[in-house]
Each structure stands twice: as C-alpha cells, then as structure tokens.
Amino acid sequence: MGKALKKIELIELTSENIDESGCYCLRSKPKSTGYQGKKGWLKNQFRQGLKYIQLMENEKLAGFIEYTPIEYSSRVVYGENYYVIHCLWVNITGKGYASQLIDKVIQDAKLHNKNGVIVITNSTTSWTPSKEVFMKNNFIEMDYAPSGFELLVFTLKDTPTPYFPNDWAERLTRFNNQLTILRTEQCPFIDIAIDNVIEAATKLNVKATIYPLQTREELLKLSPTPYGVYGVIYKNQLISYHRLTVHSALKRMKELELK
C-alpha cells in the first residue's frame, strides 16, 4: 500500500468563520481574556484588509500567517503601499509550509498592486518570525534597529525603501522613569506577559502603568521597538518587548534599581 496523499488547504479566517475555526495562538485557552481580545481585534481588523490564513494538513492545523496593509499594521515601520507580515508560524517543519504561506502573501501583494511585502525579524526571540525562511524567499535586509531588530523587504516595484524611525533612545525617556507597559490586542499572549511584569513589580513595591496603544499614530510615536504590540519601559530603559517570566522581569528591574 502506498502512502496516503496529504490534503493541504489554505483557509482564510473571516468574521463569519472565526468562531468555528478559531485563531492559532493560545487556542488551548479559548475563554482567556487574551484569546477573546485577539478574536475581537481580528474581527475589527478584517474590515481594514487584514488577512489571517491558516494552513491545514489533512484537516489539522499546521500553521498560519497574518498580514495587513502597512497603514493598519502593528509594526513600527514607515513605507507606502506595502503589506506587513505580523506573524508566521508552522508546527510541522521541513515540508515547505512556511514558504507556501509567504508565497500566498506575495501573490496577494501582486494581485492588489502593492509595492512589496515587509516583515520585521529578531534572532534573539521567537516572538518574531524567523529571518532565514524569508531570506530563502528573496527578502532583502533593508534597515536595523536596537535590540536586534531587522527590516526585511520583498520588493515588487522600484519605489522608496521602507525604513525604521531613528528616535528609539528618545522614546525611552517619555514616561518619567515610571514602569510603563505599552500594549495592543494584536497578540493574545500579552495579557500573560503583563501579569508577570505586574507580579514582579509588586515584589519591589513598584506601581505599573498600562498604556493601551489605540491607534497606529500612537504606536508609531510611542512604541519603544519596531515590534509595536508590546513594550515595557522602566527608568528610561527597555525591560522587554516579549513575555518574561516573573523571575526574569524581577531580575531586570532589580538591576535597574541598583543603578
């Protein structure tokens, strides 16, 4: 008997099917505030052109990609008429599924006459997509930012190059040394990340202020990193842009207390 053929499908989430199909991230806790916040955020962003594509292997979820027009993106990057990839994840590797999802974005960009596709990577964390798979798919490094961030672009037209802001140090000084957590609803794990920081801060009798980023204009102006959706600042220093354990957050804040 030969091996059964694999059935591969790309399923686009919509406001009509998201309740049945569900999101990829934090799907094991569909009643959590993070998951519900993400689902509500997606329903709103679908109206702004965001795409959330899930790859199914034999009707089982194998990965997903999320991308949106740059004017509605949660990443801190400047450019015109680009798609920006927020997230890419596959749980079945070695089968070219990541490249298949990336190609879906590129073909969509061509269909909608975009100038190209942007993704922000960072090799020091798993909270951004992996750089290597994009390089294999002919993305080119265009710009860099502190804390290891890289701007990769797949160009479709001869247009001005996308770029990062250059005022990152200044952004860290806007909250008067206070422990400030900037957040959006784009990532469902942010609630957990915030809880860990607040628990750590409580041990040091430090009050945390949560600053919801409501618009892209706020995000472009205030986010301490290109990641955009989450950032923790204390004593004019970047604590983190991704989830820390309580122990790690406490250690980082203690180090700043001693300076």
Side-chain angles (χ1 to χ4, degrees), residues 11-22 39 42-44 46-47:
I11 306 296
E12 180 177 341
L13 288 193
T14 66
S15 295
E16 287 70 37
N17 68 13
I18 190 172
D19 290 328
E20 179 181 355
S21 298
K39 191 167 70 171
L42 281 173
K43 287 182 177 180
N44 181 61
F46 287 149
R47 295 193 290 268

mmCIF file of all heavy atoms in Angstrom, residues 11-22 39 42-44 46-47:
data_model
loop_
_atom_site.group_PDB
_atom_site.id
_atom_site.type_symbol
_atom_site.label_atom_id
_atom_site.label_comp_id
_atom_site.label_asym_id
_atom_site.label_seq_id
_atom_site.Cartn_x
_atom_site.Cartn_y
_atom_site.Cartn_z
ATOM 1 N N ILE A 11 -6.896 28.151 4.493
ATOM 2 C CA ILE A 11 -8.205 28.631 4.922
ATOM 3 C C ILE A 11 -8.068 30.059 5.443
ATOM 4 O O ILE A 11 -7.284 30.327 6.358
ATOM 5 C CB ILE A 11 -8.801 27.739 6.037
ATOM 6 C CG1 ILE A 11 -8.830 26.272 5.599
ATOM 7 C CG2 ILE A 11 -10.180 28.245 6.430
ATOM 8 C CD1 ILE A 11 -9.716 25.987 4.422
ATOM 9 N N GLU A 12 -8.817 30.979 4.859
ATOM 10 C CA GLU A 12 -8.789 32.369 5.316
ATOM 11 C C GLU A 12 -9.855 32.580 6.382
ATOM 12 O O GLU A 12 -11.039 32.298 6.161
ATOM 13 C CB GLU A 12 -9.029 33.328 4.151
ATOM 14 C CG GLU A 12 -9.016 34.791 4.572
ATOM 15 C CD GLU A 12 -9.177 35.758 3.409
ATOM 16 O OE1 GLU A 12 -8.939 35.347 2.251
ATOM 17 O OE2 GLU A 12 -9.536 36.926 3.656
ATOM 18 N N LEU A 13 -9.413 33.085 7.538
ATOM 19 C CA LEU A 13 -10.375 33.416 8.578
ATOM 20 C C LEU A 13 -11.150 34.672 8.197
ATOM 21 O O LEU A 13 -10.595 35.604 7.617
ATOM 22 C CB LEU A 13 -9.670 33.650 9.911
ATOM 23 C CG LEU A 13 -9.085 32.450 10.664
ATOM 24 C CD1 LEU A 13 -8.719 32.860 12.087
ATOM 25 C CD2 LEU A 13 -10.037 31.279 10.689
ATOM 26 N N THR A 14 -12.414 34.694 8.554
ATOM 27 C CA THR A 14 -13.271 35.851 8.336
ATOM 28 C C THR A 14 -14.122 36.059 9.585
ATOM 29 O O THR A 14 -14.150 35.201 10.489
ATOM 30 C CB THR A 14 -14.196 35.641 7.129
ATOM 31 O OG1 THR A 14 -15.123 34.572 7.440
ATOM 32 C CG2 THR A 14 -13.406 35.285 5.872
ATOM 33 N N SER A 15 -14.847 37.157 9.624
ATOM 34 C CA SER A 15 -15.755 37.397 10.749
ATOM 35 C C SER A 15 -16.823 36.318 10.828
ATOM 36 O O SER A 15 -17.366 36.050 11.907
ATOM 37 C CB SER A 15 -16.414 38.772 10.597
ATOM 38 O OG SER A 15 -15.451 39.802 10.686
ATOM 39 N N GLU A 16 -17.116 35.686 9.676
ATOM 40 C CA GLU A 16 -18.169 34.678 9.636
ATOM 41 C C GLU A 16 -17.694 33.312 10.136
ATOM 42 O O GLU A 16 -18.476 32.561 10.713
ATOM 43 C CB GLU A 16 -18.712 34.530 8.201
ATOM 44 C CG GLU A 16 -19.572 35.683 7.734
ATOM 45 C CD GLU A 16 -18.786 36.964 7.508
ATOM 46 O OE1 GLU A 16 -17.629 36.867 7.035
ATOM 47 O OE2 GLU A 16 -19.316 38.054 7.830
ATOM 48 N N ASN A 17 -16.418 32.978 9.923
ATOM 49 C CA ASN A 17 -15.990 31.621 10.294
ATOM 50 C C ASN A 17 -15.023 31.569 11.472
ATOM 51 O O ASN A 17 -14.609 30.485 11.892
ATOM 52 C CB ASN A 17 -15.361 30.908 9.091
ATOM 53 C CG ASN A 17 -14.027 31.528 8.657
ATOM 54 O OD1 ASN A 17 -13.429 32.321 9.365
ATOM 55 N ND2 ASN A 17 -13.575 31.154 7.469
ATOM 56 N N ILE A 18 -14.635 32.712 12.024
ATOM 57 C CA ILE A 18 -13.604 32.717 13.070
ATOM 58 C C ILE A 18 -14.063 32.030 14.350
ATOM 59 O O ILE A 18 -13.274 31.361 15.029
ATOM 60 C CB ILE A 18 -13.124 34.156 13.367
ATOM 61 C CG1 ILE A 18 -11.884 34.105 14.271
ATOM 62 C CG2 ILE A 18 -14.222 34.997 13.995
ATOM 63 C CD1 ILE A 18 -11.226 35.455 14.471
ATOM 64 N N ASP A 19 -15.353 32.123 14.669
ATOM 65 C CA ASP A 19 -15.827 31.474 15.891
ATOM 66 C C ASP A 19 -15.726 29.960 15.772
ATOM 67 O O ASP A 19 -15.419 29.274 16.747
ATOM 68 C CB ASP A 19 -17.277 31.886 16.176
ATOM 69 C CG ASP A 19 -17.386 33.339 16.605
ATOM 70 O OD1 ASP A 19 -16.445 33.837 17.252
ATOM 71 O OD2 ASP A 19 -18.403 33.983 16.286
ATOM 72 N N GLU A 20 -15.973 29.443 14.572
ATOM 73 C CA GLU A 20 -15.899 27.996 14.359
ATOM 74 C C GLU A 20 -14.464 27.529 14.153
ATOM 75 O O GLU A 20 -14.027 26.538 14.749
ATOM 76 C CB GLU A 20 -16.734 27.603 13.143
ATOM 77 C CG GLU A 20 -16.701 26.120 12.828
ATOM 78 C CD GLU A 20 -17.512 25.766 11.593
ATOM 79 O OE1 GLU A 20 -18.171 26.669 11.042
ATOM 80 O OE2 GLU A 20 -17.475 24.600 11.177
ATOM 81 N N SER A 21 -13.706 28.265 13.335
ATOM 82 C CA SER A 21 -12.342 27.843 13.004
ATOM 83 C C SER A 21 -11.352 28.159 14.115
ATOM 84 O O SER A 21 -10.445 27.385 14.391
ATOM 85 C CB SER A 21 -11.893 28.514 11.698
ATOM 86 O OG SER A 21 -12.715 28.122 10.623
ATOM 87 N N GLY A 22 -11.501 29.324 14.752
ATOM 88 C CA GLY A 22 -10.618 29.715 15.834
ATOM 89 C C GLY A 22 -9.275 30.234 15.357
ATOM 90 O O GLY A 22 -8.850 29.989 14.229
ATOM 91 N N LYS A 39 -9.424 37.701 19.216
ATOM 92 C CA LYS A 39 -10.520 37.411 18.297
ATOM 93 C C LYS A 39 -11.322 38.677 17.979
ATOM 94 O O LYS A 39 -11.664 38.930 16.823
ATOM 95 C CB LYS A 39 -11.432 36.331 18.882
ATOM 96 C CG LYS A 39 -12.430 35.783 17.881
ATOM 97 C CD LYS A 39 -13.100 34.513 18.393
ATOM 98 C CE LYS A 39 -14.043 34.791 19.528
ATOM 99 N NZ LYS A 39 -14.865 33.597 19.881
ATOM 100 N N LEU A 42 -9.197 40.846 15.692
ATOM 101 C CA LEU A 42 -9.204 40.344 14.318
ATOM 102 C C LEU A 42 -10.478 40.737 13.590
ATOM 103 O O LEU A 42 -10.430 41.174 12.430
ATOM 104 C CB LEU A 42 -9.051 38.824 14.312
ATOM 105 C CG LEU A 42 -7.641 38.262 14.505
ATOM 106 C CD1 LEU A 42 -7.691 36.747 14.647
ATOM 107 C CD2 LEU A 42 -6.723 38.664 13.353
ATOM 108 N N LYS A 43 -11.614 40.597 14.245
ATOM 109 C CA LYS A 43 -12.878 40.933 13.588
ATOM 110 C C LYS A 43 -12.884 42.389 13.138
ATOM 111 O O LYS A 43 -13.390 42.714 12.057
ATOM 112 C CB LYS A 43 -14.048 40.650 14.536
ATOM 113 C CG LYS A 43 -14.334 39.171 14.730
ATOM 114 C CD LYS A 43 -15.536 38.960 15.648
ATOM 115 C CE LYS A 43 -15.863 37.474 15.775
ATOM 116 N NZ LYS A 43 -17.037 37.233 16.671
ATOM 117 N N ASN A 44 -12.318 43.254 13.956
ATOM 118 C CA ASN A 44 -12.227 44.664 13.580
ATOM 119 C C ASN A 44 -11.222 44.879 12.456
ATOM 120 O O ASN A 44 -11.476 45.632 11.502
ATOM 121 C CB ASN A 44 -11.829 45.507 14.796
ATOM 122 C CG ASN A 44 -11.739 46.980 14.466
ATOM 123 O OD1 ASN A 44 -12.717 47.601 14.070
ATOM 124 N ND2 ASN A 44 -10.551 47.552 14.629
ATOM 125 N N PHE A 46 -10.221 42.763 10.154
ATOM 126 C CA PHE A 46 -10.645 42.202 8.867
ATOM 127 C C PHE A 46 -11.250 43.298 7.989
ATOM 128 O O PHE A 46 -11.081 43.288 6.767
ATOM 129 C CB PHE A 46 -11.674 41.092 9.069
ATOM 130 C CG PHE A 46 -11.110 39.810 9.625
ATOM 131 C CD1 PHE A 46 -11.889 38.985 10.427
ATOM 132 C CD2 PHE A 46 -9.804 39.414 9.354
ATOM 133 C CE1 PHE A 46 -11.382 37.797 10.938
ATOM 134 C CE2 PHE A 46 -9.287 38.231 9.869
ATOM 135 C CZ PHE A 46 -10.082 37.429 10.658
ATOM 136 N N ARG A 47 -11.924 44.255 8.622
ATOM 137 C CA ARG A 47 -12.550 45.354 7.865
ATOM 138 C C ARG A 47 -11.508 46.309 7.296
ATOM 139 O O ARG A 47 -11.804 47.103 6.395
ATOM 140 C CB ARG A 47 -13.532 46.114 8.770
ATOM 141 C CG ARG A 47 -14.728 45.277 9.215
ATOM 142 C CD ARG A 47 -15.801 46.149 9.833
ATOM 143 N NE ARG A 47 -15.397 46.688 11.116
ATOM 144 C CZ ARG A 47 -15.654 46.097 12.283
ATOM 145 N NH1 ARG A 47 -16.311 44.938 12.318
ATOM 146 N NH2 ARG A 47 -15.272 46.638 13.413
#
